[in-house]
Amino acid sequence: MGKGITSRSEDYSQWYNDLVIKADLAEYSAVRGCMVIKPYGYAIWERMQSVLDARFKETGHANAYFPLFIPKSFFSKEASHVEGFATECAVVTHYRLKNDGSGQIVVDEEAKLEEELIVRPTSETIIWNTYRGWIESYRDLPILVNQWANVVRWEMRTRLFLRTAEFLWQEGHTAHATREEAIAETEQMLEVYAEFAEETLAVPVVKGRKTENERFAGAVDTLCIEALMQDGKALQAGTSHFLGQNFAKAFDVKFTNKEGKLDHVWATSWGVSTRLMGALIMAHSDDQGLVLPPKLAPVQVVIVPIYRTEEEKSKVEEYVKQLMAALAQLGVRTKFDDRDTQRPGFKFAEWELKGVPLRVAIGARDMNNGTVELARRDLQTKETVEQAGLPDRIANLLTEIQDSIFEKALTFRDEHITKVDSYEEFRETLETKGGFISCHWDGTVETEKRIKEETKATIRCIPLDAIDEEGVCIFTGKPSARRVLFAKAY
Amino acid sequence: MGKGITSRSEDYSQWYNDLVIKADLAEYSAVRGCMVIKPYGYAIWERMQSVLDARFKETGHANAYFPLFIPKSFFSKEASHVEGFATECAVVTHYRLKNDGSGQIVVDEEAKLEEELIVRPTSETIIWNTYRGWIESYRDLPILVNQWANVVRWEMRTRLFLRTAEFLWQEGHTAHATREEAIAETEQMLEVYAEFAEETLAVPVVKGRKTENERFAGAVDTLCIEALMQDGKALQAGTSHFLGQNFAKAFDVKFTNKEGKLDHVWATSWGVSTRLMGALIMAHSDDQGLVLPPKLAPVQVVIVPIYRTEEEKSKVEEYVKQLMAALAQLGVRTKFDDRDTQRPGFKFAEWELKGVPLRVAIGARDMNNGTVELARRDLQTKETVEQAGLPDRIANLLTEIQDSIFEKALTFRDEHITKVDSYEEFRETLETKGGFISCHWDGTVETEKRIKEETKATIRCIPLDAIDEEGVCIFTGKPSARRVLFAKAY
């Protein structure tokens, strides 16, 4: 704390790492690729959970909990699913340790599992195996269930929040009587995610559809929201999958429909994870530290007293007590930083680093003048304002800051969607400007792969609002019916 | 649903299993010993979490998240800790599966971990290894952190909620500068648990201290709350451990105290788990199903309409709409069961099985008379009451039911604490009456173990309010300074 962080222009990647560590959000643990989410970081994640969970419940979903472990054989049942996850699975093979006699603790070879267990990388298989017992007729449908859980994907190259071996997420798993209903659910949950990203995270997103190449392993159709970070790279912030009858077929889940006929059940799954913490950090923060949208800030207003004498101190404290009571009435989360071990300048820097949206500083002179100093984290502006009416002014400012952070990110994002019509222009834009590149593509996996090999850019999505427009693929010259969005991505 | 459950007198154990399954609380999964917590069961657990989490925060704690996996070597660092947990650990040995060429998915032997990872059975070791990096001076203390997480203990004999290989819990882990402060924290959290058990779960508990034999592996002192189930068996409902400097020494966590000297940090840990679901079910429920205390009931009031004609139906529905709005104003969680696929009698039985505290039934005649039928789940009483003033009556009744359920359990518990002064009396009480047996014990592990071998009863705790009383051990005749509580236990 108190030490500077690398600037974005100097080294964006190092800036991100410094920020996560120095703002006390998370750190690497002793276990390769696994992170410790520290209290300040976790408090932000809890706010995300609380907003999302309320939306899930408003849209009719209930939470449940399914096992951490998945029998290996379950994976093999859905062919593309196992292909997608097999190479990054933590595998439990034994259920006991023992003392080897010389004081060493070793795995007890006699306690070997008959069938290995996989630590869930996602829960479609164990859940659909369970749903088989829950569903007989259309009267048992829909099942609208969500789970908040930890999952493990053995990533080789990890980054705090963005890509870790273990991460926290929610995974919705729904079962429906008709294809139409399942598709409507997939679309509804994408909409919930998009609203959440824009209204709560203040991160503008493009809603779109993944190409076959980027689709979830086992899905018929994957919808996604894609956000843009300040370095011009995209970040997939949430996905909602229409799974068709794939998992119902793999796990033999049938129901009697209204006509009395047996049919396989239709499925969706959808999830967002602690990756959103990475998106939040990279979308808004600056060289001084985090910039938190007020809706997610664990502390929205920090109050720093400035005094030299005990008399000045008690005068300030008396006022602060009233101010905090008034702010609490308005639902504003406030912290009074009355540590006497640190100087005001140190406190200013610390709360700036931690992204607290508003800072109120108040000293003896302010008390005489009936004023306070109010500083906005997002714009780094300061002004001296009247104490009269301050609580309402603060509440209004928090709303204004939330909007302003979103608008800034939106402007940046919109300025970084570039239409190109040739591969040369594509490569140049990618190298010099970054961001999303809107262009024509011939619709083949092959072309997408070749472009990825040559440029590291992938198709982030086919925007849902893409207009029909005849064109030719920038790479092959073959015909194309609409533009897609390419970008380098996290 | 609709099918009866085994009665308690017939087979208590089967009654419990039937209830958990038929009230849709949980079920076994395809993974040995692991459960699926179903939406209705999970909704109760969520209410428990929400009340506890608020209390943890009020007492100054923040949530964080630590890795699921613990390197094997960490376990060996605290000798009694590894002894306590080594024999029930799920061990991750590999990080990849592969296709063996013949279409079979097998563990990839080339992806063997250098050091095995243990799926956390509890997190002291990984957390204290982390705290080493967080603590330098007394200014960094106390650390007051809690984690909501899943843990795995490879139990051979499992029962839904009571003993499962994977379960959900919270584990608090705090670090302090002094022994006194750590002891005060241990006691405070026991008090939080006791209050929660009595005020929210409506389960009376005895606060006590574990004997050496029953102490947490690695603790200096384990405090606990012990509850009594209707079959006369005890259930440990929560524990709070004073860990002394054991983990700080094992993980080399030192701090500079106010005098500028280096010392090891003092620790506590404390936890409650989904086991509380078992306690809740077994403490209050009856042969008709669950009995839920209103504070934990996902649905506090269910409204069942009774009608023959569409006209009657719409008249009833109009009234119900107003009633529900009025109840919502009072913060009452209400469900209108307007399914037209089921008859009222079926609905009555279903909600009774699910333990909804109050049922309102309303038909055409009630509409003419300005009345409703109100049924209490706990007492199984029904009365016809005026519609006028109904919302307030319901809100008051919910409070009364919460108190009444607690009083009933308290009376039962108090009637089942038996003072005995001979081993013969001890054995007879244990076999005929069950419950807690208050008697003298000579304070040795040896005697406790022999009594356990002969009777299956263990010392549940030395009550914190035990009075000094000279006596002789019922087993050895040796002197004893106070009575302890024995019982058979879950």
Side-chain angles (χ1 to χ4, degrees), chain B residues 93-104:
Chain B
T93 54
H94 294 75
Y95 57 85
R96 197 162 61 218
L97 298 173
K98 65 170 186 182
N99 193 314
D100 73 352
S102 73
Q104 289 294 309

Side-chain angles (χ1 to χ4, degrees), chain A residues 335-355:
Chain A
K335 183 177 179 74
F336 181 34
D337 185 353
D338 60 353
R339 287 176 291 177
D340 51 17
T341 50
Q342 300 295 355
R343 294 174 55 82
F346 177 93
K347 295 179 184 178
F348 288 6
E350 179 172 331
W351 296 112
E352 201 168 57
L353 178 58
K354 290 199 161 183

Side-chain angles (χ1 to χ4, degrees), chain A residues 27 31 37 46 57 63-65 68-69 72 86 89 91-97 105 134 150 156 166, chain B residues 27 31 37 46 57 63 65 68-69 72 86 89 91-97 105 134 150 156 166:
Chain A
E27 65 185 36
V31 185
I37 306 179
E46 275 181 308
K57 284 172 179 161
N63 290 326
Y65 189 76
L68 171 67
F69 299 131
K72 194 188 67 181
C89 282
V91 188
V92 176
T93 54
H94 294 75
Y95 57 85
R96 197 161 63 218
L97 297 174
I105 300 297
W134 294 7
N150 53 343
M156 283 300 159
E166 181 192 16
Chain B
E27 65 185 36
V31 184
I37 306 179
E46 276 182 308
K57 285 173 179 160
N63 290 326
Y65 189 76
L68 171 67
F69 298 132
K72 194 188 68 180
C89 282
V91 187
V92 175
T93 54
H94 294 75
Y95 57 85
R96 197 162 61 218
L97 298 173
I105 300 298
W134 294 8
N150 53 344
M156 283 301 160
E166 182 191 16

Side-chain angles (χ1 to χ4, degrees), chain A residues 146-160:
Chain A
N146 175 62
Q147 153 168 290
W148 290 96
N150 53 343
V151 285
V152 171
R153 297 178 188 177
W154 207 266
E155 301 282 356
M156 283 300 159
R157 290 163 62 186
T158 57
R159 294 195 66 185
L160 290 166

Side-chain angles (χ1 to χ4, degrees), chain B residues 361-406:
Chain B
I362 174 155
R365 191 183 304 165
D366 290 306
M367 285 311 297
N368 292 334
N369 297 343
T371 58
V372 304
E373 185 192 81
L374 200 54
R376 262 177 83 152
R377 175 63 186 89
D378 61 329
L379 304 179
Q380 303 206 64
T381 51
K382 286 196 285 200
E383 55 177 339
T384 298
V385 302
E386 299 287 323
Q387 288 179 3
L390 185 58
D392 284 329
R393 181 194 279 263
I394 285 176
N396 292 335
L397 255 179
L398 289 173
T399 307
E400 194 181 317
I401 293 171
Q402 180 82 29
D403 294 344
S404 167
I405 292 177
F406 175 74

Side-chain angles (χ1 to χ4, degrees), chain B residues 281-331:
Chain B
I281 296 161
M282 290 206 294
H284 307 309
S285 302
D286 61 25
D287 293 348
Q288 277 66 50
L290 266 185
V291 174
L292 288 175
K295 286 187 185 173
L296 287 177
V299 176
Q300 296 175 307
V301 180
V302 63
I303 304 174
V304 179
I306 298 166
Y307 53 83
R308 271 166 303 187
T309 66
E310 279 303 309
E311 196 196 335
E312 285 179 3
K313 183 183 175 188
S314 69
K315 222 169 149 186
V316 167
E317 281 181 353
E318 198 178 320
Y319 169 70
V320 169
K321 211 171 144 185
Q322 289 167 32
L323 176 61
M324 288 186 73
L327 288 171
Q329 284 280 325
L330 297 171

